[in-house]
Amino acid sequence: MSSHTSPARKIPVAILGATGAVGQTFVRLLDGHPWFEVTAVAASERSAGKSYRDATHWLSGEMPERASRLEVTMCDPALLDAPIVFSALDSDAAGEVEAAFARAGRMVLSNARNYRMDADIPLLIPEVNPDHLDLLAVQREVRGWSGAIVTNSNCSTMVVALALAPLHQAFGVQQLFVTTLQALSGAGYPGVPSLDILGNIIPFIGGGEEEKIESEPLKILGTFEHGAITPAPMIVSAQVNRVAVEHGHTVCMSVKLATRVTPEIAISALQSWKGAVASLGLPSAPAYPVVVTMEHDRPQPRRDVNAGGGMSVVIGRVRTDPLLDLRLVAMGHNTVRGAAGASILNAELLVARGLVAR
Ligand code: NAP
């Protein structure tokens, strides 16, 4: 970590929706974080008043001791004074609650879909579009908030956008045909009933999943000019499937490029790409946001989901496509890179840029 970006003392952070699948991933990833300290956990009235240990059906490994003793509160800015607020709220609750925290001067890092596509809200991936943070000035002017909302993408979009960014920057992506195989943890807890998914594939995911994958990458890869984002001029066609995998969304992609290149040249562009914030020393940034595997049967969720601490998207099977130009398979951790880890990385960039009031 470079010393110029490292805060002298840890910054208190709160987690909204801390009891859910993504909320738990926040608690796990923030345990021992060098810059941030979880001082508050909040959820619905079903959980409020209980200890975090009692309120949470903990899903993976040991619950961090410190968090386990915190009392879960309601999601009310009057009860929580942390300047950084990570939101893992269900979208039914996120709209009003996140706005209330931003109005109260907090920096809200949201996983919910509610604000992602609003013109004045950054849909941020630090390695791809850190300049979109300049939208915060527009947001404050439009909404009159002293705080702000910064969003991260849908979990499959994250895999798509990170795989596309190096190709788009080097060769221009014009069309994308994508089929997803999405893990069960993407549906939250308890998620899909076991008898519906065991030995099965469900070719539908609610909440507008296909529409998100078809729209969010255009904003993420869009250009920020004169206070607004012009979407990247590409067409995306998405089909989604829920599969009996625990963690890791796999995405099979066919891509049409403005400049047609061989698989070898595409692989070289993917392998050498480090993204826009490699020099900042952000603690959650992987050395390589995109990792290319040359093994013929990879990536696989079971073997590759924790690449780069769960923050790298693994790409394999890069080859010529007889319909468009290139095809490949990309896979990333949906609750880490696709949710909590992405929000934490976004918050680290905000701190490094001096955008968090302390
Ligand atoms: P989840 O397991 O169902 O958890 C939902 C959380 O929201 C729980 O903490 C729940 O608290 C809280 N909540 C629900 N209604 C509330 C209310 N009215 N007021 C306050 N808190 C409320 O869902 P998840 O999978 O963690 O997803 C959380 C968010 O992240 C969603 O917006 C989802 O779309 C998004 N997301 C998820 C993933 C993923 O891979 N899972 C990836 C990207 C984005 P209680 O326990 O008290 O009910």
Side-chain angles (χ1 to χ4, degrees):
M1 192 195 319
S2 62
S3 55
H4 70 283
T5 58
S6 173
R9 269 188 287 145
K10 287 197 183 184
I11 303 170
V13 302
I15 304 169
L16 311 179
T19 52
V22 174
Q24 293 184 31
T25 310
F26 273 117
V27 169
R28 191 165 55 77
L29 295 177
L30 288 166
D31 186 39
H33 190 282
W35 297 6
F36 303 140
E37 177 155 32
V38 179
T39 55
V41 287
S44 76
E45 59 190 3
R46 293 178 288 275
S47 309
K50 298 178 184 168
S51 70
Y52 184 66
R53 179 176 296 286
D54 289 344
T56 306
H57 183 87
W58 188 253
L59 293 168
S60 178
E62 287 293 310
M63 180 185 285
E65 178 60 27
R66 213 177 156 279
S68 74
R69 286 185 268 113
L70 293 172
E71 180 180 318
V72 180
T73 68
M74 296 287 286
C75 297
D76 179 348
L79 303 173
L80 307 170
D81 57 6
I84 292 178
V85 175
F86 292 112
S87 171
L89 284 173
D90 194 85
S91 57
D92 288 347
E96 279 182 29
V97 172
E98 291 175 357
F101 276 88
R103 210 175 292 121
R106 314 307 166 72
M107 190 58 77
V108 180
L109 287 305
S110 171
N111 277 278
R113 65 170 180 260
N114 307 59
Y115 292 101
R116 281 182 197 146
M117 295 305 290
D118 287 12
D120 60 333
I121 304 272
L123 182 48
L124 185 67
I125 303 179
E127 297 99 327
V128 177
N129 61 3
D131 56 318
H132 289 199
L133 272 184
D134 291 346
L135 269 181
L136 291 186
V138 179
Q139 187 186 130
R140 284 186 170 146
E141 199 173 314
V142 169
R143 309 212 183 216
W145 292 340
S146 51
I149 295 177
V150 172
T151 60
N152 42 271
S153 75
N154 162 273
C155 37
S156 293
T157 299
M158 180 64 75
V159 179
V160 169
L162 276 170
L164 282 190
L167 300 175
H168 187 58
Q169 288 167 9
F171 316 116
V173 173
Q174 295 182 326
Q175 292 176 16
L176 172 70
F177 181 81
V178 33
T179 302
T180 71
L181 307 155
Q182 299 186 213
L184 287 170
S185 59
Y189 184 82
V192 186
S194 56
L195 287 182
D196 283 341
I197 194 69
L198 275 175
N200 204 12
I201 294 173
I202 300 174
F204 174 75
I205 294 174
E209 192 77 1
E210 288 172 348
E211 290 76 7
K212 291 179 207 166
I213 298 169
E214 290 175 353
S215 59
E216 292 177 12
L218 280 58
K219 180 174 180 183
I220 292 165
L221 297 170
T223 47
F224 181 78
E225 278 174 330
H226 313 301
I229 291 169
T230 304
M234 61 179 71
I235 302 171
V236 182
S237 165
Q239 302 194 63
V240 298
N241 300 279
R242 184 74 71 195
V243 298
V245 164
E246 186 184 8
H247 301 298
H249 288 353
T250 299
V251 180
C252 302
M253 304 165 61
S254 291
V255 185
K256 180 164 177 51
L257 301 168
T259 306
R260 190 160 201 200
V261 292
T262 62
E264 291 71 28
I265 290 174
I267 287 168
S268 163
L270 290 162
Q271 278 174 330
S272 58
W273 191 80
K274 288 187 142 192
V277 293
S279 63
L280 293 183
L282 306 180
S284 301
Y288 289 92
V290 161
V291 173
V292 179
T293 170
M294 302 303 283
E295 293 187 48
H296 70 276
D297 59 354
R298 304 280 276 275
Q300 297 176 17
R302 184 178 297 158
R303 294 189 165 82
D304 299 311
V305 75
N306 291 317
M311 289 296 283
S312 296
V313 164
V314 183
I315 295 178
R317 308 213 63 220
V318 182
R319 58 216 194 277
T320 304
D321 184 66
L323 201 53
L324 302 180
D325 291 329
L326 283 178
R327 57 190 153 163
L328 55 87
V329 180
M331 192 276 310
H333 199 308
N334 49 293
T335 60
V336 179
R337 183 76 225 206
S343 278
I344 294 169
L345 185 59
N346 286 353
E348 292 168 358
L349 179 61
L350 289 165
V351 171
R353 288 271 172 92
L355 289 166
V356 175
R358 311 230 343 248

